[in-house]
């Protein structure tokens, strides 16, 4: 482990992530246990979204990134871009992802560093990370290079996660995510019922829908097991730092988004304004 730390600390990947992240942190918020009230004129939050596959990290992180004016950076998207390219790692990544396993910390840090550097050169500042960190090692590296202000941990029952992954569809042209599943789960052990309407595509996307190759039942179950083993300890890592905000998703986006904004001390009217920009 220590050798690994030295390797990452001395690797060019970490130096580049350090450069990118530290410059993004130039006007950072101080870490605090409860969500900061965001000053609309000085938005460059550094937030992380955690949660199991299918929980909706991308859905909520992308909406908040519009509201907060920071990039939404999903390492899963970076992996898929690389996998679909004709680059040297493409085959290797395809095999790992289709087994529901995690890509090595080193590859992920490299992909993330490149993404942060290209954003920095375009004047991006702050971020919402989605799908990173996913191992304690990644969390430690991130911790070494910058301050994360807040970590939002999204939660849903396992059966809902599986149904949502199996219902997920992506428009092969515009890249938007949709979901054809209707979720209607009776709450057990005092938990509330959960109902979610499908998120159907507009007609111009409907004929172009594709399914992610790793969204089959067996691979989703494998990804959930990997999450429990490798990523749940990341929740504890941030819980100990007092940065973890737990949010149990109560239903579909119309019901859940206002509640999430409230939990984050964000103003829904501001959200509506920026959503129309
Ligand atoms: P999900 O959260 O639905 O499982 P993602 O789109 O975030 O899916 O990630 C897809 C795949 O990309 C993961 O199963 C894993 O193989 C790889 N991946 C994404 N982020 C990371 C990461 N931080 N560390 C290692 N592997 C990752």
């Amino acid at each position: 482990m220590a050798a690994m730390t030295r390797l990452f600390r001395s690797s060019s990947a970490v130096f580049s992530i350090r450069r990118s992240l530290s410059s993004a942190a130039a006007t950072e918020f101080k870490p605090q246990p409860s969500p900061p009230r965001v000053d609309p004129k000085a938005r460059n939050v550094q937030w992380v979204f955690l949660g199991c596959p299918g929980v909706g990290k991308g859905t909520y992180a992308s909406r908040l990134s519009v509201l907060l004016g920071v990039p939404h950076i999903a390492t899963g998207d970076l992996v898929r871009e690389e996998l679909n390219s004709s680059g040297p790692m493409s085959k290797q990544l395809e095999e790992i992802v289709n087994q529901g396993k995690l890509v090595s910390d080193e590859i992920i840090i490299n992909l993330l560093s490149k993404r942060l550097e290209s954003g920095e050169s375009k004047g991006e500042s702050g971020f919402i990370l989605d799908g990173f960190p996913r191992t304690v090692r990644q969390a430690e590296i991130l911790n070494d290079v910058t301050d994360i202000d807040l970590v939002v941990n999204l939660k849903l029952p396992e059966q809902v996660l599986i149904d949502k992954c199996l219902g997920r569809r992506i428009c092969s042209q515009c890249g938007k995510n949709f979901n054809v599943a209707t979720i209607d789960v009776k709450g057990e052990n005092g938990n509330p019922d959960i109902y979610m309407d499908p998120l159907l595509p507009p007609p111009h996307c409907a004929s172009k829908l594709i399914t992610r190759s790793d969204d089959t039942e067996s691979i989703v179950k494998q990804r959930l097991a990997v999450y429990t083993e490798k990523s749940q300890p990341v929740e504890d890592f941030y819980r100990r730092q007092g940065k973890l905000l737990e949010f149990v998703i109560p239903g579909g986006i119309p019901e859940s988004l206002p509640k999430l904004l409230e939990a984050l001390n964000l103003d829904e009217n501001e959200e509506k304004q920026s959503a129309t920009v």
Side-chain angles (χ1 to χ4, degrees), residues 53 57 75-76 80 101 103 108 131 134 138 168 212 223:
K57 297 184 292 295
T75 44
R80 278 183 291 278
K101 293 184 179 161
V103 171
I108 281 292
R134 230 169 168 114
Q138 293 175 10
R168 180 154 52 190
R212 266 170 54 172
R223 281 156 57 206

Side-chain angles (χ1 to χ4, degrees), residues 114-205:
K114 274 197 240 155
R115 168 62 188 83
L116 287 167
E117 271 174 2
S118 95
E120 195 185 338
S121 69
K122 293 181 206 141
E124 277 181 4
S125 154
F127 48 73
I128 298 180
L129 294 179
D130 153 4
F132 183 94
R134 230 169 168 114
T135 63
V136 170
R137 189 76 219 96
Q138 293 175 10
E140 286 168 351
I141 290 170
L142 190 61
N143 201 50
D144 280 351
V145 297
T146 195
D147 281 329
I148 293 300
D149 309 314
L150 183 70
V151 178
V152 180
N153 188 26
L154 299 179
K155 295 195 151 179
L156 273 174
E158 180 162 317
Q159 190 50 51
V160 178
L161 296 170
I162 296 173
D163 291 348
K164 281 191 70 215
C165 283
L166 298 184
R168 180 154 52 190
R169 299 289 181 276
I170 300 153
C171 174
S172 55
Q173 195 162 44
C174 71
K176 282 203 180 119
N177 272 265
F178 303 100
N179 208 301
V180 296
T182 301
I183 307 293
D184 193 359
V185 172
K186 282 261 157 273
E188 284 170 9
N189 307 323
N191 291 318
D193 300 348
I194 298 186
Y195 181 83
M196 295 183 194
D197 276 322
L199 185 58
L200 296 175
H204 56 275
C205 295

